[in-house]
Amino acid sequence: MSRFGTVVPLVTARALSGREFTYELPEGAGKGAVVSVPFGRSRARGVVVDVQEAAPVGIKALPVERVLHELPPTLVDLALWLADYYGSTPARALELVAPVRRQRRKEQGPPAERHSLEGEAEPARLSDDQQAALARIAEGGRFLLYGPTGSGKTEVYLQAAAAALARGLGTIVLVPEIGLTPQTVGRFRARFGDSVALLHSGLTDAERRDERLRISSGEARVVVGARSAIFAPMREVGLICVDEEHDQSYKQESDPRYDARTVAAKRAALEGATVVYGSATPRPESWAALERLELRERIGAKLPGVKIVDLRREAGYPLSAPLLAELGGIAERGGKAILLLNRRGIAPALHCRACGTTFRCPDCDVSLTLHRDERLHCHHCGHFEPVPQECPACRSVELARIGAGTQKLERELAARVPELELIRLDADTAAHPEELAAALRRFRDTDRVVLLGTQMVAKGHHFAGVELAAVVDADAGLALPDLRAEERTFQLVTQLAGRSGRDAPGRVLVQTFQPDARPIVLAARHDVPRFLADELDRRRELGYPPFRHLVRILVTAPSEAPALKLLQELRDGLDGLGDLLGPAPLFRLRGKHRAQLVAKTDKPRRLAARSAQLLAAAAPAMRRAGLTAVVDVDPQQL
């Protein structure tokens, strides 16, 4: 007897990607089958999302050409939910769970072997808090595992994963960035060997194909990776761990604009799995919504004291006298230091002393950053140009380099403390996983060494012998016009402080021009509960998450006026669905003008769906005018 399937073709055209088509299925094919089907005058890949015993009346269903492979049905449900919640299309969401399979590469070991550091031995005993957390996790649910850096959160993940495996269930472990995978993969491989798979965008297409095959076949029962690993084709998932759950990197910034933390909760619900969110500096959203499992004490050593250096009273920048003294001590005695400066390049801006002109990108309304190659770079669009000899506006040759970036910090360190080996870690030096793992291995194995870089040096790394952690400029993120600016500054300073003194007395220096700023004062005290209580009070008063959802509609246009006009029309059509802010213009990006409308709402799905309807109706006029629009549910930056 014939069976028929509703198939979503995986095509990019938005007009087609939301439609479903009926095909006759071969024997054994069901929901989750990835198939090749005749589609118009060609063929397309598609995913079977439903099965019926009969075709719809009046439809002559063509047969599926062949079944390519099978997905767990829960991943189909997850993708369809994602498309609905984030205002995307079923085809684009299904592409996340059914990426194109590349040809098999030459035989070599799994990427986890090459992209990991050595793990650690299992501790002789767990702390009382760890045992209590594991007992509660075993009962199932959604939890926030909260504790200072070094309190043993990763060991809880490992023990919970072992318990899941003992029950025949798999585990997915998410980390926010590729930079955190080498140590995490190493620790899981030390316990679970080759049953650990690695998934992230830094792998080649062929490597991802092989890892997905290992996962779907059941050979790999533990998956470690960045946000896309939440779509791993694993059956019978029992545990999902979201490490460093506060990190904004879990939000995808292209369609579908999903948040892997929210998707993890949905997948856990579909699978009947437990989900554990871990952080030393949780998000206010997680603090308010989840059951807390607290690890109260750091294992091995107390949290280090924090000294705030008031840069208003210091002559040196980026290296103050107290910071140079601490680095000099490491040069004499030995040890390691980690320095955070959350800006790349030599200087974040080049400025004319005579007329005040700041050199800006011709395509983006942002200042150009000076790099060591003596060129000015735009970190948004990639534009670069040689450093001018004179100001193009007034012809003055008095050009000042404002501020400092990681390259300038590296240069200053080399000149002032030449005895120390320097390892820089930022987007310019760690483009490939192998380079990143090699840099971290070198830092681990070297004495009298400084690891300096952007925010990736503050995240999740656990190295012995780190005596000093320093924030070179804690003010870099405070002035940003974003509701999470203070939260991110607090998290960054607190996280970096935790890199120091894990196995010996440590020291932390925080350099700032704003020593009385609330995030800096509370981070210096390691006072996470107080910061989150204050932040929740502020957000409750302003109607920000977690008390209401945000939905952002961003329009890009050749000029400002049509973007604002379209957003005003959208605002009129969204009346009654929330508090609407804007439209407001933003800085240009890649030669395009931009504007946004932001909604505070209790009905994010309804508002996003209504926005999508209005934009679909306006699509022909938008194409003629060269306008594009995106709807972003739960944006992480405004």
Side-chain angles (χ1 to χ4, degrees), residues 7-13 15-23 35-46 62-65 91:
V7 175
V8 175
L10 302 183
V11 294
T12 56
L16 292 174
S17 64
R19 295 179 58 189
E20 298 173 340
F21 298 84
T22 300
Y23 289 87
V35 295
S36 176
V37 294
F39 193 68
R41 296 182 179 180
S42 61
R43 60 177 55 85
R45 284 191 319 125
L62 294 173
V64 162
E65 291 184 342

PDB file of all heavy atoms in Angstrom, residues 7-13 15-23 35-46 62-65 91:
ATOM      1  N   VAL A   7       6.768  16.890   2.256  1.00  0.00           N
ATOM      2  CA  VAL A   7       8.201  17.163   2.125  1.00  0.00           C
ATOM      3  C   VAL A   7       8.416  18.670   2.041  1.00  0.00           C
ATOM      4  O   VAL A   7       7.718  19.363   1.291  1.00  0.00           O
ATOM      5  CB  VAL A   7       8.786  16.476   0.876  1.00  0.00           C
ATOM      6  CG1 VAL A   7      10.251  16.866   0.685  1.00  0.00           C
ATOM      7  CG2 VAL A   7       8.657  14.960   1.003  1.00  0.00           C
ATOM      8  N   VAL A   8       9.368  19.178   2.815  1.00  0.00           N
ATOM      9  CA  VAL A   8       9.807  20.568   2.692  1.00  0.00           C
ATOM     10  C   VAL A   8      11.092  20.578   1.878  1.00  0.00           C
ATOM     11  O   VAL A   8      12.124  20.082   2.334  1.00  0.00           O
ATOM     12  CB  VAL A   8      10.057  21.211   4.063  1.00  0.00           C
ATOM     13  CG1 VAL A   8      10.627  22.617   3.893  1.00  0.00           C
ATOM     14  CG2 VAL A   8       8.771  21.261   4.874  1.00  0.00           C
ATOM     15  N   PRO A   9      11.054  21.084   0.621  1.00  0.00           N
ATOM     16  CA  PRO A   9      12.290  21.176  -0.171  1.00  0.00           C
ATOM     17  C   PRO A   9      13.253  22.179   0.458  1.00  0.00           C
ATOM     18  O   PRO A   9      12.836  23.261   0.907  1.00  0.00           O
ATOM     19  CB  PRO A   9      11.810  21.655  -1.551  1.00  0.00           C
ATOM     20  CG  PRO A   9      10.338  21.394  -1.558  1.00  0.00           C
ATOM     21  CD  PRO A   9       9.882  21.546  -0.138  1.00  0.00           C
ATOM     22  N   LEU A  10      14.528  21.836   0.489  1.00  0.00           N
ATOM     23  CA  LEU A  10      15.531  22.714   1.089  1.00  0.00           C
ATOM     24  C   LEU A  10      16.050  23.677   0.027  1.00  0.00           C
ATOM     25  O   LEU A  10      17.151  23.524  -0.511  1.00  0.00           O
ATOM     26  CB  LEU A  10      16.661  21.878   1.700  1.00  0.00           C
ATOM     27  CG  LEU A  10      16.206  20.877   2.762  1.00  0.00           C
ATOM     28  CD1 LEU A  10      17.391  20.137   3.360  1.00  0.00           C
ATOM     29  CD2 LEU A  10      15.404  21.561   3.859  1.00  0.00           C
ATOM     30  N   VAL A  11      15.215  24.668  -0.293  1.00  0.00           N
ATOM     31  CA  VAL A  11      15.554  25.681  -1.303  1.00  0.00           C
ATOM     32  C   VAL A  11      15.638  27.025  -0.605  1.00  0.00           C
ATOM     33  O   VAL A  11      14.996  27.264   0.420  1.00  0.00           O
ATOM     34  CB  VAL A  11      14.519  25.716  -2.443  1.00  0.00           C
ATOM     35  CG1 VAL A  11      14.571  24.424  -3.233  1.00  0.00           C
ATOM     36  CG2 VAL A  11      13.111  25.947  -1.900  1.00  0.00           C
ATOM     37  N   THR A  12      16.446  27.933  -1.183  1.00  0.00           N
ATOM     38  CA  THR A  12      16.716  29.204  -0.510  1.00  0.00           C
ATOM     39  C   THR A  12      15.663  30.262  -0.785  1.00  0.00           C
ATOM     40  O   THR A  12      15.491  31.175   0.016  1.00  0.00           O
ATOM     41  CB  THR A  12      18.089  29.753  -0.949  1.00  0.00           C
ATOM     42  OG1 THR A  12      18.111  29.873  -2.374  1.00  0.00           O
ATOM     43  CG2 THR A  12      19.203  28.826  -0.510  1.00  0.00           C
ATOM     44  N   ALA A  13      14.951  30.173  -1.913  1.00  0.00           N
ATOM     45  CA  ALA A  13      13.964  31.199  -2.242  1.00  0.00           C
ATOM     46  C   ALA A  13      12.899  31.247  -1.152  1.00  0.00           C
ATOM     47  O   ALA A  13      12.229  30.254  -0.879  1.00  0.00           O
ATOM     48  CB  ALA A  13      13.324  30.907  -3.596  1.00  0.00           C
ATOM     49  N   ALA A  15       9.993  32.556  -1.011  1.00  0.00           N
ATOM     50  CA  ALA A  15       8.619  32.312  -1.458  1.00  0.00           C
ATOM     51  C   ALA A  15       8.318  30.814  -1.523  1.00  0.00           C
ATOM     52  O   ALA A  15       7.187  30.385  -1.319  1.00  0.00           O
ATOM     53  CB  ALA A  15       8.398  32.949  -2.823  1.00  0.00           C
ATOM     54  N   LEU A  16       9.348  29.998  -1.822  1.00  0.00           N
ATOM     55  CA  LEU A  16       9.144  28.553  -1.921  1.00  0.00           C
ATOM     56  C   LEU A  16       9.509  27.818  -0.643  1.00  0.00           C
ATOM     57  O   LEU A  16       8.966  26.746  -0.365  1.00  0.00           O
ATOM     58  CB  LEU A  16       9.986  27.987  -3.076  1.00  0.00           C
ATOM     59  CG  LEU A  16       9.579  28.403  -4.492  1.00  0.00           C
ATOM     60  CD1 LEU A  16      10.594  27.871  -5.485  1.00  0.00           C
ATOM     61  CD2 LEU A  16       8.181  27.878  -4.822  1.00  0.00           C
ATOM     62  N   SER A  17      10.440  28.403   0.130  1.00  0.00           N
ATOM     63  CA  SER A  17      10.997  27.654   1.257  1.00  0.00           C
ATOM     64  C   SER A  17       9.998  27.462   2.387  1.00  0.00           C
ATOM     65  O   SER A  17      10.227  26.658   3.273  1.00  0.00           O
ATOM     66  CB  SER A  17      12.249  28.346   1.793  1.00  0.00           C
ATOM     67  OG  SER A  17      11.919  29.621   2.317  1.00  0.00           O
ATOM     68  N   GLY A  18       8.895  28.175   2.378  1.00  0.00           N
ATOM     69  CA  GLY A  18       7.889  27.969   3.401  1.00  0.00           C
ATOM     70  C   GLY A  18       6.794  27.012   2.980  1.00  0.00           C
ATOM     71  O   GLY A  18       5.907  26.689   3.772  1.00  0.00           O
ATOM     72  N   ARG A  19       6.836  26.514   1.749  1.00  0.00           N
ATOM     73  CA  ARG A  19       5.773  25.643   1.246  1.00  0.00           C
ATOM     74  C   ARG A  19       6.114  24.169   1.447  1.00  0.00           C
ATOM     75  O   ARG A  19       7.269  23.784   1.550  1.00  0.00           O
ATOM     76  CB  ARG A  19       5.534  25.919  -0.242  1.00  0.00           C
ATOM     77  CG  ARG A  19       5.002  27.317  -0.515  1.00  0.00           C
ATOM     78  CD  ARG A  19       4.804  27.540  -1.999  1.00  0.00           C
ATOM     79  NE  ARG A  19       3.887  26.548  -2.572  1.00  0.00           N
ATOM     80  CZ  ARG A  19       3.674  26.410  -3.882  1.00  0.00           C
ATOM     81  NH1 ARG A  19       4.304  27.181  -4.737  1.00  0.00           N
ATOM     82  NH2 ARG A  19       2.826  25.486  -4.324  1.00  0.00           N
ATOM     83  N   GLU A  20       5.045  23.356   1.529  1.00  0.00           N
ATOM     84  CA  GLU A  20       5.202  21.908   1.666  1.00  0.00           C
ATOM     85  C   GLU A  20       4.631  21.226   0.432  1.00  0.00           C
ATOM     86  O   GLU A  20       3.661  21.717  -0.170  1.00  0.00           O
ATOM     87  CB  GLU A  20       4.459  21.426   2.925  1.00  0.00           C
ATOM     88  CG  GLU A  20       5.000  22.035   4.213  1.00  0.00           C
ATOM     89  CD  GLU A  20       4.150  21.678   5.420  1.00  0.00           C
ATOM     90  OE1 GLU A  20       2.963  21.304   5.200  1.00  0.00           O
ATOM     91  OE2 GLU A  20       4.647  21.765   6.556  1.00  0.00           O
ATOM     92  N   PHE A  21       5.223  20.097   0.047  1.00  0.00           N
ATOM     93  CA  PHE A  21       4.812  19.372  -1.144  1.00  0.00           C
ATOM     94  C   PHE A  21       4.623  17.898  -0.784  1.00  0.00           C
ATOM     95  O   PHE A  21       5.284  17.381   0.118  1.00  0.00           O
ATOM     96  CB  PHE A  21       5.866  19.526  -2.249  1.00  0.00           C
ATOM     97  CG  PHE A  21       6.063  20.953  -2.697  1.00  0.00           C
ATOM     98  CD1 PHE A  21       6.918  21.805  -1.986  1.00  0.00           C
ATOM     99  CD2 PHE A  21       5.394  21.451  -3.800  1.00  0.00           C
ATOM    100  CE1 PHE A  21       7.097  23.120  -2.387  1.00  0.00           C
ATOM    101  CE2 PHE A  21       5.574  22.767  -4.204  1.00  0.00           C
ATOM    102  CZ  PHE A  21       6.424  23.604  -3.499  1.00  0.00           C
ATOM    103  N   THR A  22       3.726  17.230  -1.510  1.00  0.00           N
ATOM    104  CA  THR A  22       3.429  15.823  -1.235  1.00  0.00           C
ATOM    105  C   THR A  22       4.119  14.934  -2.257  1.00  0.00           C
ATOM    106  O   THR A  22       4.042  15.194  -3.467  1.00  0.00           O
ATOM    107  CB  THR A  22       1.914  15.573  -1.274  1.00  0.00           C
ATOM    108  OG1 THR A  22       1.285  16.400  -0.288  1.00  0.00           O
ATOM    109  CG2 THR A  22       1.592  14.112  -0.975  1.00  0.00           C
ATOM    110  N   TYR A  23       4.790  13.888  -1.769  1.00  0.00           N
ATOM    111  CA  TYR A  23       5.462  12.906  -2.621  1.00  0.00           C
ATOM    112  C   TYR A  23       5.103  11.509  -2.138  1.00  0.00           C
ATOM    113  O   TYR A  23       4.789  11.295  -0.954  1.00  0.00           O
ATOM    114  CB  TYR A  23       6.989  13.083  -2.575  1.00  0.00           C
ATOM    115  CG  TYR A  23       7.485  14.326  -3.275  1.00  0.00           C
ATOM    116  CD1 TYR A  23       7.558  15.542  -2.599  1.00  0.00           C
ATOM    117  CD2 TYR A  23       7.886  14.284  -4.612  1.00  0.00           C
ATOM    118  CE1 TYR A  23       8.020  16.685  -3.236  1.00  0.00           C
ATOM    119  CE2 TYR A  23       8.352  15.426  -5.260  1.00  0.00           C
ATOM    120  CZ  TYR A  23       8.410  16.616  -4.572  1.00  0.00           C
ATOM    121  OH  TYR A  23       8.865  17.746  -5.204  1.00  0.00           O
ATOM    122  N   VAL A  35      15.527  13.320   1.614  1.00  0.00           N
ATOM    123  CA  VAL A  35      15.270  12.668   0.332  1.00  0.00           C
ATOM    124  C   VAL A  35      15.670  13.559  -0.829  1.00  0.00           C
ATOM    125  O   VAL A  35      15.786  14.774  -0.701  1.00  0.00           O
ATOM    126  CB  VAL A  35      13.770  12.297   0.207  1.00  0.00           C
ATOM    127  CG1 VAL A  35      13.386  11.248   1.250  1.00  0.00           C
ATOM    128  CG2 VAL A  35      12.891  13.539   0.362  1.00  0.00           C
ATOM    129  N   SER A  36      15.878  12.915  -1.970  1.00  0.00           N
ATOM    130  CA  SER A  36      16.058  13.624  -3.240  1.00  0.00           C
ATOM    131  C   SER A  36      14.742  13.509  -4.000  1.00  0.00           C
ATOM    132  O   SER A  36      14.212  12.409  -4.169  1.00  0.00           O
ATOM    133  CB  SER A  36      17.206  13.004  -4.044  1.00  0.00           C
ATOM    134  OG  SER A  36      17.313  13.628  -5.307  1.00  0.00           O
ATOM    135  N   VAL A  37      14.194  14.659  -4.440  1.00  0.00           N
ATOM    136  CA  VAL A  37      12.881  14.655  -5.088  1.00  0.00           C
ATOM    137  C   VAL A  37      12.940  15.462  -6.377  1.00  0.00           C
ATOM    138  O   VAL A  37      13.725  16.410  -6.504  1.00  0.00           O
ATOM    139  CB  VAL A  37      11.799  15.257  -4.159  1.00  0.00           C
ATOM    140  CG1 VAL A  37      11.579  14.379  -2.946  1.00  0.00           C
ATOM    141  CG2 VAL A  37      12.151  16.682  -3.753  1.00  0.00           C
ATOM    142  N   PRO A  38      12.102  15.094  -7.376  1.00  0.00           N
ATOM    143  CA  PRO A  38      11.960  15.955  -8.552  1.00  0.00           C
ATOM    144  C   PRO A  38      11.267  17.247  -8.134  1.00  0.00           C
ATOM    145  O   PRO A  38      10.283  17.231  -7.390  1.00  0.00           O
ATOM    146  CB  PRO A  38      11.081  15.130  -9.496  1.00  0.00           C
ATOM    147  CG  PRO A  38      10.376  14.149  -8.622  1.00  0.00           C
ATOM    148  CD  PRO A  38      11.276  13.884  -7.462  1.00  0.00           C
ATOM    149  N   PHE A  39      11.823  18.375  -8.584  1.00  0.00           N
ATOM    150  CA  PHE A  39      11.287  19.667  -8.163  1.00  0.00           C
ATOM    151  C   PHE A  39      11.368  20.625  -9.345  1.00  0.00           C
ATOM    152  O   PHE A  39      12.455  21.091  -9.706  1.00  0.00           O
ATOM    153  CB  PHE A  39      12.102  20.199  -6.977  1.00  0.00           C
ATOM    154  CG  PHE A  39      11.459  21.360  -6.275  1.00  0.00           C
ATOM    155  CD1 PHE A  39      10.288  21.182  -5.550  1.00  0.00           C
ATOM    156  CD2 PHE A  39      12.016  22.628  -6.348  1.00  0.00           C
ATOM    157  CE1 PHE A  39       9.699  22.254  -4.904  1.00  0.00           C
ATOM    158  CE2 PHE A  39      11.443  23.692  -5.703  1.00  0.00           C
ATOM    159  CZ  PHE A  39      10.266  23.515  -4.982  1.00  0.00           C
ATOM    160  N   GLY A  40      10.216  20.865  -9.988  1.00  0.00           N
ATOM    161  CA  GLY A  40      10.213  21.658 -11.206  1.00  0.00           C
ATOM    162  C   GLY A  40      10.960  20.925 -12.295  1.00  0.00           C
ATOM    163  O   GLY A  40      10.713  19.744 -12.554  1.00  0.00           O
ATOM    164  N   ARG A  41      11.906  21.600 -12.905  1.00  0.00           N
ATOM    165  CA  ARG A  41      12.691  20.991 -13.975  1.00  0.00           C
ATOM    166  C   ARG A  41      13.988  20.379 -13.473  1.00  0.00           C
ATOM    167  O   ARG A  41      14.817  19.944 -14.278  1.00  0.00           O
ATOM    168  CB  ARG A  41      12.999  22.042 -15.041  1.00  0.00           C
ATOM    169  CG  ARG A  41      11.754  22.574 -15.731  1.00  0.00           C
ATOM    170  CD  ARG A  41      12.129  23.574 -16.800  1.00  0.00           C
ATOM    171  NE  ARG A  41      10.943  24.081 -17.493  1.00  0.00           N
ATOM    172  CZ  ARG A  41      10.973  24.983 -18.477  1.00  0.00           C
ATOM    173  NH1 ARG A  41      12.152  25.478 -18.863  1.00  0.00           N
ATOM    174  NH2 ARG A  41       9.864  25.387 -19.053  1.00  0.00           N
ATOM    175  N   SER A  42      14.184  20.397 -12.175  1.00  0.00           N
ATOM    176  CA  SER A  42      15.427  19.834 -11.623  1.00  0.00           C
ATOM    177  C   SER A  42      15.063  18.920 -10.454  1.00  0.00           C
ATOM    178  O   SER A  42      13.971  18.374 -10.401  1.00  0.00           O
ATOM    179  CB  SER A  42      16.361  20.970 -11.174  1.00  0.00           C
ATOM    180  OG  SER A  42      15.744  21.742 -10.161  1.00  0.00           O
ATOM    181  N   ARG A  43      15.977  18.756  -9.539  1.00  0.00           N
ATOM    182  CA  ARG A  43      15.715  17.976  -8.336  1.00  0.00           C
ATOM    183  C   ARG A  43      16.232  18.754  -7.137  1.00  0.00           C
ATOM    184  O   ARG A  43      17.065  19.660  -7.269  1.00  0.00           O
ATOM    185  CB  ARG A  43      16.359  16.597  -8.415  1.00  0.00           C
ATOM    186  CG  ARG A  43      17.872  16.601  -8.563  1.00  0.00           C
ATOM    187  CD  ARG A  43      18.443  15.184  -8.554  1.00  0.00           C
ATOM    188  NE  ARG A  43      17.830  14.347  -9.556  1.00  0.00           N
ATOM    189  CZ  ARG A  43      18.223  14.285 -10.838  1.00  0.00           C
ATOM    190  NH1 ARG A  43      19.225  15.073 -11.243  1.00  0.00           N
ATOM    191  NH2 ARG A  43      17.632  13.485 -11.690  1.00  0.00           N
ATOM    192  N   ALA A  44      15.717  18.419  -5.975  1.00  0.00           N
ATOM    193  CA  ALA A  44      16.105  19.117  -4.753  1.00  0.00           C
ATOM    194  C   ALA A  44      16.181  18.131  -3.603  1.00  0.00           C
ATOM    195  O   ALA A  44      15.572  17.059  -3.640  1.00  0.00           O
ATOM    196  CB  ALA A  44      15.091  20.224  -4.428  1.00  0.00           C
ATOM    197  N   ARG A  45      16.975  18.513  -2.588  1.00  0.00           N
ATOM    198  CA  ARG A  45      16.921  17.773  -1.324  1.00  0.00           C
ATOM    199  C   ARG A  45      15.709  18.260  -0.550  1.00  0.00           C
ATOM    200  O   ARG A  45      15.326  19.430  -0.623  1.00  0.00           O
ATOM    201  CB  ARG A  45      18.171  18.039  -0.488  1.00  0.00           C
ATOM    202  CG  ARG A  45      19.400  17.311  -0.961  1.00  0.00           C
ATOM    203  CD  ARG A  45      20.537  17.418   0.077  1.00  0.00           C
ATOM    204  NE  ARG A  45      20.649  18.733   0.658  1.00  0.00           N
ATOM    205  CZ  ARG A  45      20.619  18.983   1.967  1.00  0.00           C
ATOM    206  NH1 ARG A  45      20.491  17.996   2.831  1.00  0.00           N
ATOM    207  NH2 ARG A  45      20.739  20.216   2.426  1.00  0.00           N
ATOM    208  N   GLY A  46      15.119  17.361   0.219  1.00  0.00           N
ATOM    209  CA  GLY A  46      13.996  17.746   1.056  1.00  0.00           C
ATOM    210  C   GLY A  46      13.960  16.895   2.301  1.00  0.00           C
ATOM    211  O   GLY A  46      14.678  15.893   2.422  1.00  0.00           O
ATOM    212  N   LEU A  62       4.298  12.727  -7.117  1.00  0.00           N
ATOM    213  CA  LEU A  62       5.447  12.085  -7.756  1.00  0.00           C
ATOM    214  C   LEU A  62       6.194  11.255  -6.714  1.00  0.00           C
ATOM    215  O   LEU A  62       6.180  11.579  -5.519  1.00  0.00           O
ATOM    216  CB  LEU A  62       6.383  13.140  -8.344  1.00  0.00           C
ATOM    217  CG  LEU A  62       5.825  13.965  -9.508  1.00  0.00           C
ATOM    218  CD1 LEU A  62       6.796  15.079  -9.871  1.00  0.00           C
ATOM    219  CD2 LEU A  62       5.553  13.077 -10.707  1.00  0.00           C
ATOM    220  N   PRO A  63       6.875  10.208  -7.143  1.00  0.00           N
ATOM    221  CA  PRO A  63       7.624   9.402  -6.167  1.00  0.00           C
ATOM    222  C   PRO A  63       8.946  10.063  -5.791  1.00  0.00           C
ATOM    223  O   PRO A  63       9.580  10.753  -6.600  1.00  0.00           O
ATOM    224  CB  PRO A  63       7.869   8.086  -6.914  1.00  0.00           C
ATOM    225  CG  PRO A  63       7.855   8.460  -8.357  1.00  0.00           C
ATOM    226  CD  PRO A  63       6.891   9.604  -8.492  1.00  0.00           C
ATOM    227  N   VAL A  64       9.356   9.853  -4.538  1.00  0.00           N
ATOM    228  CA  VAL A  64      10.688  10.254  -4.085  1.00  0.00           C
ATOM    229  C   VAL A  64      11.719   9.481  -4.896  1.00  0.00           C
ATOM    230  O   VAL A  64      11.568   8.278  -5.141  1.00  0.00           O
ATOM    231  CB  VAL A  64      10.832   9.948  -2.573  1.00  0.00           C
ATOM    232  CG1 VAL A  64      12.294   9.928  -2.154  1.00  0.00           C
ATOM    233  CG2 VAL A  64      10.046  10.959  -1.755  1.00  0.00           C
ATOM    234  N   GLU A  65      12.779  10.155  -5.362  1.00  0.00           N
ATOM    235  CA  GLU A  65      13.802   9.475  -6.160  1.00  0.00           C
ATOM    236  C   GLU A  65      14.633   8.527  -5.297  1.00  0.00           C
ATOM    237  O   GLU A  65      14.867   7.381  -5.668  1.00  0.00           O
ATOM    238  CB  GLU A  65      14.707  10.500  -6.835  1.00  0.00           C
ATOM    239  CG  GLU A  65      13.988  11.294  -7.942  1.00  0.00           C
ATOM    240  CD  GLU A  65      14.941  12.241  -8.650  1.00  0.00           C
ATOM    241  OE1 GLU A  65      16.029  12.533  -8.098  1.00  0.00           O
ATOM    242  OE2 GLU A  65      14.596  12.697  -9.752  1.00  0.00           O
ATOM    243  N   ALA A  91      12.247  25.622   5.613  1.00  0.00           N
ATOM    244  CA  ALA A  91      13.410  25.135   4.865  1.00  0.00           C
ATOM    245  C   ALA A  91      14.714  25.621   5.474  1.00  0.00           C
ATOM    246  O   ALA A  91      15.675  24.856   5.610  1.00  0.00           O
ATOM    247  CB  ALA A  91      13.312  25.579   3.406  1.00  0.00           C
TER     248      ALA A  91
END
